[in-house]
Amino acid sequence: MPRLLLLFSFINLIIGTGAFVIAGILEPVAASLSVGVPAAGQAVTAYAMATAVLAPVLLVATGHWRRKRAMQLALALFTLGNGVCALAPGLPTLLVGRVLMGLGAVFTPIAAGIAVASVEPARRGRALSVVFLGISMSYVVGIPLGAWLGLQWGWQVPVAAVAVLSGVMLLLVTRWVPRDIDAPGASFRGLPELLCQGRVLWPLLLTLLYFIAIFCVFSYIGPVLQALYPMSGERLSATLMVFGLAGVAGTLIGGWANDRFSPRRTLIVQLSVLGTMMLLVPFTQGHYPALLATFVIWGVAGFGMMTPQQSRLAEAAPAQAPILLSLNTSMLYLGTALGAAIGGAASASLGFDRLSWIGVPLAAAGLLTLAFGRTAPPPLGVASKS
């Protein structure tokens, strides 16, 4: 199983790269398609909304399938979507491709469900951190490299490369994943009652809030960094890589802290740090070392939150873990979509350099969900640390 978790992590690296590389090359995308940067930013929104709304439906529709077959479908859709994007002659076709990619992102909750089912509860945080490490690594390798390729050779080049790599991953899943791999499929059965319980509702709301906060900025990270400190394409790529390295560290630290200190305590620290960094970002304008340090600390805190959140939901209702993990991913991408939309609208009045201030009250609201969620009763027969 560890080898499979590493495979899933690498696939998530490719999915994360495909999902978010476009944020670093919005300006050439916009120029190529003859639209404004905020309009091009809706490619992030289209992907996010498809993942938030359509992916859970696909997850349940394939809930009775073998997990391997569901993974194959997900990767086929993701590969097709990237291919459509790479060949897109205009914005509408690009958005269609991004929707197909969003459907293919259902791979991530399927992989997370297998990780949860494959280890004992005490090691759940570390297993999830391995799977989600690939998403963090995309910010170190995939997104900076993709931004450099897109700025040097055209934005279609990194998108086409992701399509090829995704196709290779489909072949590896077909070869290496056991046909009868043991993990529960997703179901909507009992879900309405579960969503009325604070131990599920508050974590989902928290995911929504902090991803809105993050993606108000990250959907426009290229223009934001240029507004704070004008830089060459090479320096922009290097800055994104350092941010991604901070995210890798944050993912690993988040998994360790989840198992060591409890999800709730870990999240209190992470949200407090994230909100503080978002407040400080505009004050780094013109000062590259301060800008870099602020975004590094942001990356450690922001990326580290995913594992504690997933762990809280898996503890809340282990039998419903696949659908809850998918809904958490839905909140992630709904937050991404809303963040992209809000950030695009706010950039005209606030400017890209002060865009991060939108996230400060959202981080504070996230801390409030932890205060309210503290009184939620644990599920019968399951010890809760959240």
Side-chain angles (χ1 to χ4, degrees), residues 233-261:
E234 289 78 7
R235 192 169 200 176
L236 175 63
S237 296
T239 302
L240 291 173
M241 184 174 294
V242 172
F243 180 72
L245 284 168
V248 171
T251 300
L252 295 173
I253 292 168
W256 169 79
N258 175 84
D259 294 342
R260 177 68 178 83
F261 299 110

Side-chain angles (χ1 to χ4, degrees), residues 78-309:
F78 195 78
T79 302
L80 176 62
N82 276 279
V84 169
C85 289
L87 299 173
L91 184 60
T93 306
L94 179 70
L95 296 180
V96 169
R98 296 288 290 180
V99 168
L100 289 171
M101 289 171 60
L103 278 168
V106 74
F107 174 91
T108 299
I110 294 173
I114 292 173
V116 167
S118 67
V119 298
E120 63 273 17
R123 295 176 57 85
R124 190 175 288 148
R126 273 166 283 187
L128 285 169
S129 70
V130 169
V131 172
F132 284 97
L133 184 63
I135 299 292
S136 302
M137 285 297 297
S138 70
Y139 291 84
V140 179
V141 180
I143 294 174
L145 178 59
W148 180 80
L149 288 171
L151 292 170
Q152 293 293 322
W153 306 103
W155 66 268
Q156 295 92 341
V157 172
V159 177
V162 169
V164 172
L165 290 171
S166 179
V168 172
M169 292 304 103
L170 174 58
L171 295 176
L172 291 181
V173 164
T174 300
R175 180 177 178 85
W176 287 351
V177 174
R179 183 171 178 269
D180 58 347
I181 192 167
D182 185 23
S187 170
F188 286 139
R189 186 179 304 167
L191 187 61
E193 296 82 1
L194 201 57
L195 289 176
C196 292
Q197 301 179 31
R199 60 194 168 90
V200 171
L201 184 61
W202 291 117
L204 291 176
L205 179 59
L206 173 55
T207 297
L208 176 65
L209 287 170
Y210 84 77
F211 270 93
I212 294 175
I214 289 171
F215 276 88
C216 280
V217 179
F218 200 82
S219 297
Y220 304 93
I221 190 63
V224 166
L225 290 174
Q226 295 287 14
L228 291 167
Y229 192 93
M231 60 187 81
S232 65
E234 289 78 7
R235 192 169 200 176
L236 175 63
S237 296
T239 302
L240 291 173
M241 184 174 294
V242 172
F243 180 72
L245 284 168
V248 171
T251 300
L252 295 173
I253 292 168
W256 169 79
N258 175 84
D259 294 342
R260 177 68 178 83
F261 299 110
S262 87
R264 183 177 175 276
R265 292 177 182 175
T266 302
L267 287 163
I268 288 173
V269 174
Q270 291 165 330
L271 278 167
S272 300
V273 172
L274 178 67
T276 301
M277 293 305 105
M278 298 190 88
L279 180 65
L280 293 177
V281 162
F283 298 104
T284 68
Q285 188 170 27
H287 304 282
Y288 185 76
L291 179 153
L292 191 62
T294 301
F295 273 96
V296 164
I297 298 170
W298 171 334
V300 172
F303 280 86
M305 285 190 275
M306 198 60 183
T307 294
Q309 282 289 87

